[in-house]
Amino acid sequence: MATLAQKMGSLDEAVSLSRVAIELGDPHAAEDLAELLIFLGRPREAEECRARAAEGS
């Protein structure tokens, strides 16, 4: 769903849905979210996302 929201231009929705996917255990969602955050000009959040994902693996 996050990918679809992103393709439709609903970037804030895509961020929210990606966070839900991470909580539900999607193994690819953290990297997808990090890439989206970088695109949105939020590199600090992207690095925090990647760090949390690395802790969880």
Side-chain angles (χ1 to χ4, degrees):
M1 293 298 293
T3 302
L4 179 59
Q6 185 175 351
K7 288 181 180 181
M8 294 179 65
S10 300
L11 301 180
D12 289 333
E13 177 103 10
V15 169
S16 295
L17 290 169
S18 292
R19 292 187 191 281
V20 170
I22 291 168
E23 289 177 23
L24 293 173
D26 182 326
H28 305 288
E31 185 58 34
D32 293 343
L33 176 57
E35 289 178 21
L36 178 56
L37 290 169
I38 288 171
F39 175 78
L40 293 172
R42 295 158 57 180
R44 183 171 293 154
E45 286 180 73
E47 287 306 313
E48 290 171 1
C49 180
R50 286 185 172 133
R52 279 186 295 224
E55 290 172 4
S57 33

